[in-house]
Amino acid sequence: MKVRTEFTCPLELTHDMIKGKWKTIILWRLRLGPTTLSGLERDIDGINQKMLLEQLKELMNYGFVEKRSFPGYPLHVEYSLTKDAGVEILKALKIMQHIGIEYLKTNGMEHILTEKGVMPE
Amino acid sequence: MKVRTEFTCPLELTHDMIKGKWKTIILWRLRLGPTTLSGLERDIDGINQKMLLEQLKELMNYGFVEKRSFPGYPLHVEYSLTKDAGVEILKALKIMQHIGIEYLKTNGMEHILTEKGVMPE
DNA sequence: CTGGATCCCGAATGATACTG
DNA sequence: CAGTATCATTCGGGATCCAG
């Protein structure tokens, strides 16, 4: 994922950092707390391990996510939001979640919400 | 620009709505108030009229931007943020702006900020 | 062995230049 | 300004490699 090197406002940088199909979904899942790789793979519909690893790597580079490896058998790795950038970007995502919900409502598609069991933000 | 039809959380919808290189920049510019097409073209570095029109059209479809046409000569058209979704997405963009600025700071690139005359949010 | 991580490639999508 | 062509990026599958 390429981040632009020229930009007019820092906002563009952040936008590049979370662009792509999966990054926001991963961050959104992590709001519930630390998880393992296989946990993420299980919870996120349609993703595979390779995509996950790629996206997590970039999210770590940008400081949104951190990884903890626990030594021993079986191998155990946990991913979580960072206290600073991770938690802050989550605030933006919550707003986006809200906008998405409102959009569905005003377009007569609330049924999707209940189907998916979307929880209040 | 394609918005996905299948998704697990409404957040993904919103993310699709503002994806692409220019949408956030346009919205960010509009926070300063209504502007004309040529005003936007002047203020946004590197964009051309075609891109601008395409992106504005999509932003209007999603309810972030509205267009007002004033009759008379010369023809006058203004674009502005909508009261609801437009103003709300701006809140998310402000957070992203802040994250971008912090990122630049912690990576020893503050000079870019002053060069560009980034105003406090 | 059992996860975790990387490489290579074709297909789909987005950005931009060109043109009428 | 809209339509088309071209070029850069991203998505996603599969094979493969690495480490405990």
Side-chain angles (χ1 to χ4, degrees), chain A residues 18-19 27 33 35 55 57 62 64 66 70 72 79-80 89-90 95 97 107 116 120:
Chain A
I18 59 167
K19 82 170 165 219
L27 291 169
T35 329
Q55 308 299 314
K57 190 175 175 183
Y62 301 137
F64 293 126
E66 62 191 357
F70 299 85
Y79 294 91
S80 55
I89 194 75
L90 188 57
I95 296 173
Q97 170 83 345
N107 287 77
K116 296 192 183 294

PDB file of all heavy atoms in Angstrom, chain A residues 18-19 27 33 35 55 57 62 64 66 70 72 79-80 89-90 95 97 107 116 120:
ATOM      1  N   ILE A  18      -4.981   4.208   6.156  1.00  0.00           N
ATOM      2  CA  ILE A  18      -6.077   3.262   6.430  1.00  0.00           C
ATOM      3  C   ILE A  18      -6.827   2.901   5.165  1.00  0.00           C
ATOM      4  O   ILE A  18      -7.948   2.419   5.223  1.00  0.00           O
ATOM      5  CB  ILE A  18      -7.072   3.826   7.466  1.00  0.00           C
ATOM      6  CG1 ILE A  18      -7.679   5.131   6.967  1.00  0.00           C
ATOM      7  CG2 ILE A  18      -6.415   4.016   8.805  1.00  0.00           C
ATOM      8  CD1 ILE A  18      -8.876   5.563   7.785  1.00  0.00           C
ATOM      9  N   LYS A  19      -6.234   3.135   4.010  1.00  0.00           N
ATOM     10  CA  LYS A  19      -6.979   2.817   2.810  1.00  0.00           C
ATOM     11  C   LYS A  19      -6.868   1.327   2.484  1.00  0.00           C
ATOM     12  O   LYS A  19      -6.057   0.616   3.056  1.00  0.00           O
ATOM     13  CB  LYS A  19      -6.497   3.686   1.642  1.00  0.00           C
ATOM     14  CG  LYS A  19      -5.277   3.217   0.946  1.00  0.00           C
ATOM     15  CD  LYS A  19      -5.056   4.016  -0.328  1.00  0.00           C
ATOM     16  CE  LYS A  19      -3.645   3.795  -0.833  1.00  0.00           C
ATOM     17  NZ  LYS A  19      -3.032   4.978  -1.370  1.00  0.00           N
ATOM     18  N   LEU A  27      -9.133  -2.808  12.181  1.00  0.00           N
ATOM     19  CA  LEU A  27      -9.091  -1.880  13.312  1.00  0.00           C
ATOM     20  C   LEU A  27     -10.396  -1.949  14.102  1.00  0.00           C
ATOM     21  O   LEU A  27     -10.405  -1.921  15.336  1.00  0.00           O
ATOM     22  CB  LEU A  27      -8.863  -0.450  12.812  1.00  0.00           C
ATOM     23  CG  LEU A  27      -7.474  -0.179  12.212  1.00  0.00           C
ATOM     24  CD1 LEU A  27      -7.448   1.167  11.506  1.00  0.00           C
ATOM     25  CD2 LEU A  27      -6.405  -0.228  13.296  1.00  0.00           C
ATOM     26  N   GLY A  33     -10.618  -5.486  21.782  1.00  0.00           N
ATOM     27  CA  GLY A  33      -9.516  -5.987  22.593  1.00  0.00           C
ATOM     28  C   GLY A  33      -8.554  -6.833  21.780  1.00  0.00           C
ATOM     29  O   GLY A  33      -8.800  -7.119  20.613  1.00  0.00           O
ATOM     30  N   THR A  35      -6.364  -9.676  20.069  1.00  0.00           N
ATOM     31  CA  THR A  35      -6.769 -10.944  19.475  1.00  0.00           C
ATOM     32  C   THR A  35      -5.574 -11.602  18.809  1.00  0.00           C
ATOM     33  O   THR A  35      -4.575 -10.958  18.537  1.00  0.00           O
ATOM     34  CB  THR A  35      -7.820 -10.738  18.365  1.00  0.00           C
ATOM     35  OG1 THR A  35      -8.596  -9.597  18.680  1.00  0.00           O
ATOM     36  CG2 THR A  35      -8.688 -11.947  18.223  1.00  0.00           C
ATOM     37  N   GLN A  55      -1.834  -6.548   5.902  1.00  0.00           N
ATOM     38  CA  GLN A  55      -2.473  -5.347   6.415  1.00  0.00           C
ATOM     39  C   GLN A  55      -2.018  -5.028   7.837  1.00  0.00           C
ATOM     40  O   GLN A  55      -1.783  -3.877   8.175  1.00  0.00           O
ATOM     41  CB  GLN A  55      -3.991  -5.524   6.380  1.00  0.00           C
ATOM     42  CG  GLN A  55      -4.532  -5.951   5.030  1.00  0.00           C
ATOM     43  CD  GLN A  55      -4.256  -4.956   3.928  1.00  0.00           C
ATOM     44  OE1 GLN A  55      -4.446  -3.774   4.104  1.00  0.00           O
ATOM     45  NE2 GLN A  55      -3.787  -5.435   2.790  1.00  0.00           N
ATOM     46  N   LYS A  57       0.796  -5.696   9.143  1.00  0.00           N
ATOM     47  CA  LYS A  57       2.160  -5.186   9.060  1.00  0.00           C
ATOM     48  C   LYS A  57       2.150  -3.687   8.791  1.00  0.00           C
ATOM     49  O   LYS A  57       2.847  -2.910   9.449  1.00  0.00           O
ATOM     50  CB  LYS A  57       2.888  -5.910   7.926  1.00  0.00           C
ATOM     51  CG  LYS A  57       4.362  -5.665   7.859  1.00  0.00           C
ATOM     52  CD  LYS A  57       4.952  -6.542   6.760  1.00  0.00           C
ATOM     53  CE  LYS A  57       6.422  -6.262   6.546  1.00  0.00           C
ATOM     54  NZ  LYS A  57       6.935  -7.087   5.412  1.00  0.00           N
ATOM     55  N   TYR A  62       2.462   2.124  10.783  1.00  0.00           N
ATOM     56  CA  TYR A  62       1.899   3.447  10.976  1.00  0.00           C
ATOM     57  C   TYR A  62       1.598   3.729  12.440  1.00  0.00           C
ATOM     58  O   TYR A  62       1.167   4.814  12.785  1.00  0.00           O
ATOM     59  CB  TYR A  62       0.621   3.595  10.157  1.00  0.00           C
ATOM     60  CG  TYR A  62       0.846   3.398   8.688  1.00  0.00           C
ATOM     61  CD1 TYR A  62      -0.028   2.650   7.929  1.00  0.00           C
ATOM     62  CD2 TYR A  62       1.966   3.953   8.060  1.00  0.00           C
ATOM     63  CE1 TYR A  62       0.180   2.462   6.575  1.00  0.00           C
ATOM     64  CE2 TYR A  62       2.177   3.763   6.721  1.00  0.00           C
ATOM     65  CZ  TYR A  62       1.291   3.017   5.976  1.00  0.00           C
ATOM     66  OH  TYR A  62       1.495   2.825   4.648  1.00  0.00           O
ATOM     67  N   PHE A  64      -0.676   2.122  14.436  1.00  0.00           N
ATOM     68  CA  PHE A  64      -2.048   1.922  14.884  1.00  0.00           C
ATOM     69  C   PHE A  64      -2.200   0.630  15.680  1.00  0.00           C
ATOM     70  O   PHE A  64      -3.064   0.508  16.533  1.00  0.00           O
ATOM     71  CB  PHE A  64      -3.008   1.866  13.690  1.00  0.00           C
ATOM     72  CG  PHE A  64      -3.139   3.162  12.959  1.00  0.00           C
ATOM     73  CD1 PHE A  64      -2.928   3.236  11.591  1.00  0.00           C
ATOM     74  CD2 PHE A  64      -3.481   4.319  13.646  1.00  0.00           C
ATOM     75  CE1 PHE A  64      -3.053   4.438  10.913  1.00  0.00           C
ATOM     76  CE2 PHE A  64      -3.602   5.520  12.972  1.00  0.00           C
ATOM     77  CZ  PHE A  64      -3.379   5.578  11.609  1.00  0.00           C
ATOM     78  N   GLU A  66      -0.178  -2.873  17.568  1.00  0.00           N
ATOM     79  CA  GLU A  66       1.067  -3.443  18.069  1.00  0.00           C
ATOM     80  C   GLU A  66       0.917  -4.940  18.269  1.00  0.00           C
ATOM     81  O   GLU A  66      -0.173  -5.448  18.455  1.00  0.00           O
ATOM     82  CB  GLU A  66       1.503  -2.755  19.365  1.00  0.00           C
ATOM     83  CG  GLU A  66       0.539  -2.902  20.510  1.00  0.00           C
ATOM     84  CD  GLU A  66       0.922  -1.976  21.669  1.00  0.00           C
ATOM     85  OE1 GLU A  66       1.943  -1.290  21.573  1.00  0.00           O
ATOM     86  OE2 GLU A  66       0.173  -1.970  22.662  1.00  0.00           O
ATOM     87  N   PHE A  70       4.228 -14.143  22.559  1.00  0.00           N
ATOM     88  CA  PHE A  70       4.469 -14.871  23.801  1.00  0.00           C
ATOM     89  C   PHE A  70       5.277 -16.117  23.488  1.00  0.00           C
ATOM     90  O   PHE A  70       4.862 -16.907  22.631  1.00  0.00           O
ATOM     91  CB  PHE A  70       3.143 -15.278  24.437  1.00  0.00           C
ATOM     92  CG  PHE A  70       2.281 -14.106  24.790  1.00  0.00           C
ATOM     93  CD1 PHE A  70       1.446 -13.534  23.849  1.00  0.00           C
ATOM     94  CD2 PHE A  70       2.327 -13.564  26.068  1.00  0.00           C
ATOM     95  CE1 PHE A  70       0.649 -12.443  24.172  1.00  0.00           C
ATOM     96  CE2 PHE A  70       1.527 -12.475  26.393  1.00  0.00           C
ATOM     97  CZ  PHE A  70       0.697 -11.915  25.451  1.00  0.00           C
ATOM     98  N   GLY A  72       6.948 -19.850  23.868  1.00  0.00           N
ATOM     99  CA  GLY A  72       6.419 -21.121  24.359  1.00  0.00           C
ATOM    100  C   GLY A  72       5.565 -21.844  23.326  1.00  0.00           C
ATOM    101  O   GLY A  72       5.344 -21.336  22.236  1.00  0.00           O
ATOM    102  N   TYR A  79      -2.454  -9.268  18.659  1.00  0.00           N
ATOM    103  CA  TYR A  79      -2.475  -7.941  18.060  1.00  0.00           C
ATOM    104  C   TYR A  79      -3.462  -7.067  18.809  1.00  0.00           C
ATOM    105  O   TYR A  79      -4.537  -7.537  19.196  1.00  0.00           O
ATOM    106  CB  TYR A  79      -2.883  -8.024  16.595  1.00  0.00           C
ATOM    107  CG  TYR A  79      -1.882  -8.750  15.742  1.00  0.00           C
ATOM    108  CD1 TYR A  79      -1.972 -10.121  15.537  1.00  0.00           C
ATOM    109  CD2 TYR A  79      -0.830  -8.064  15.145  1.00  0.00           C
ATOM    110  CE1 TYR A  79      -1.040 -10.798  14.749  1.00  0.00           C
ATOM    111  CE2 TYR A  79       0.097  -8.722  14.362  1.00  0.00           C
ATOM    112  CZ  TYR A  79      -0.010 -10.091  14.172  1.00  0.00           C
ATOM    113  OH  TYR A  79       0.909 -10.735  13.406  1.00  0.00           O
ATOM    114  N   SER A  80      -3.095  -5.800  18.981  1.00  0.00           N
ATOM    115  CA  SER A  80      -4.013  -4.886  19.656  1.00  0.00           C
ATOM    116  C   SER A  80      -3.808  -3.456  19.164  1.00  0.00           C
ATOM    117  O   SER A  80      -2.792  -3.138  18.533  1.00  0.00           O
ATOM    118  CB  SER A  80      -3.790  -4.940  21.171  1.00  0.00           C
ATOM    119  OG  SER A  80      -2.436  -4.665  21.448  1.00  0.00           O
ATOM    120  N   ILE A  89      -7.615   6.735  16.105  1.00  0.00           N
ATOM    121  CA  ILE A  89      -8.242   6.451  14.811  1.00  0.00           C
ATOM    122  C   ILE A  89      -9.591   5.769  15.029  1.00  0.00           C
ATOM    123  O   ILE A  89     -10.524   5.935  14.233  1.00  0.00           O
ATOM    124  CB  ILE A  89      -7.335   5.553  13.929  1.00  0.00           C
ATOM    125  CG1 ILE A  89      -7.829   5.545  12.477  1.00  0.00           C
ATOM    126  CG2 ILE A  89      -7.277   4.123  14.428  1.00  0.00           C
ATOM    127  CD1 ILE A  89      -7.540   6.787  11.716  1.00  0.00           C
ATOM    128  N   LEU A  90      -9.695   5.049  16.126  1.00  0.00           N
ATOM    129  CA  LEU A  90     -10.958   4.382  16.433  1.00  0.00           C
ATOM    130  C   LEU A  90     -12.088   5.403  16.581  1.00  0.00           C
ATOM    131  O   LEU A  90     -13.235   5.147  16.196  1.00  0.00           O
ATOM    132  CB  LEU A  90     -10.807   3.559  17.717  1.00  0.00           C
ATOM    133  CG  LEU A  90     -11.983   2.660  18.078  1.00  0.00           C
ATOM    134  CD1 LEU A  90     -12.285   1.686  16.957  1.00  0.00           C
ATOM    135  CD2 LEU A  90     -11.701   1.905  19.371  1.00  0.00           C
ATOM    136  N   ILE A  95     -17.250   7.445  14.164  1.00  0.00           N
ATOM    137  CA  ILE A  95     -18.057   8.416  13.428  1.00  0.00           C
ATOM    138  C   ILE A  95     -18.480   7.835  12.088  1.00  0.00           C
ATOM    139  O   ILE A  95     -19.639   7.939  11.678  1.00  0.00           O
ATOM    140  CB  ILE A  95     -17.262   9.718  13.212  1.00  0.00           C
ATOM    141  CG1 ILE A  95     -16.970  10.376  14.562  1.00  0.00           C
ATOM    142  CG2 ILE A  95     -18.028  10.672  12.302  1.00  0.00           C
ATOM    143  CD1 ILE A  95     -16.058  11.581  14.467  1.00  0.00           C
ATOM    144  N   GLN A  97     -18.803   4.734  11.323  1.00  0.00           N
ATOM    145  CA  GLN A  97     -19.804   3.703  11.584  1.00  0.00           C
ATOM    146  C   GLN A  97     -21.186   4.345  11.713  1.00  0.00           C
ATOM    147  O   GLN A  97     -22.160   3.888  11.128  1.00  0.00           O
ATOM    148  CB  GLN A  97     -19.439   2.959  12.877  1.00  0.00           C
ATOM    149  CG  GLN A  97     -20.508   2.013  13.406  1.00  0.00           C
ATOM    150  CD  GLN A  97     -20.490   0.651  12.732  1.00  0.00           C
ATOM    151  OE1 GLN A  97     -19.881   0.458  11.693  1.00  0.00           O
ATOM    152  NE2 GLN A  97     -21.176  -0.296  13.329  1.00  0.00           N
ATOM    153  N   ASN A 107     -32.013   5.231   3.717  1.00  0.00           N
ATOM    154  CA  ASN A 107     -32.235   4.614   2.420  1.00  0.00           C
ATOM    155  C   ASN A 107     -33.066   3.348   2.535  1.00  0.00           C
ATOM    156  O   ASN A 107     -33.002   2.470   1.663  1.00  0.00           O
ATOM    157  CB  ASN A 107     -30.896   4.325   1.736  1.00  0.00           C
ATOM    158  CG  ASN A 107     -30.246   5.597   1.239  1.00  0.00           C
ATOM    159  OD1 ASN A 107     -29.689   6.346   2.033  1.00  0.00           O
ATOM    160  ND2 ASN A 107     -30.347   5.866  -0.042  1.00  0.00           N
ATOM    161  N   LYS A 116     -27.438  -8.171  10.691  1.00  0.00           N
ATOM    162  CA  LYS A 116     -26.037  -8.316  11.041  1.00  0.00           C
ATOM    163  C   LYS A 116     -25.802  -8.122  12.534  1.00  0.00           C
ATOM    164  O   LYS A 116     -24.682  -8.224  13.009  1.00  0.00           O
ATOM    165  CB  LYS A 116     -25.190  -7.315  10.266  1.00  0.00           C
ATOM    166  CG  LYS A 116     -25.222  -7.561   8.772  1.00  0.00           C
ATOM    167  CD  LYS A 116     -24.165  -6.762   8.062  1.00  0.00           C
ATOM    168  CE  LYS A 116     -24.266  -6.958   6.561  1.00  0.00           C
ATOM    169  NZ  LYS A 116     -23.954  -8.344   6.150  1.00  0.00           N
ATOM    170  N   PRO A 120     -24.934  -1.026  19.099  1.00  0.00           N
ATOM    171  CA  PRO A 120     -24.814   0.434  19.225  1.00  0.00           C
ATOM    172  C   PRO A 120     -23.352   0.781  19.446  1.00  0.00           C
ATOM    173  O   PRO A 120     -22.643   0.057  20.142  1.00  0.00           O
ATOM    174  CB  PRO A 120     -25.652   0.742  20.464  1.00  0.00           C
ATOM    175  CG  PRO A 120     -25.807  -0.571  21.186  1.00  0.00           C
ATOM    176  CD  PRO A 120     -25.754  -1.621  20.150  1.00  0.00           C
TER     177      PRO A 120
END
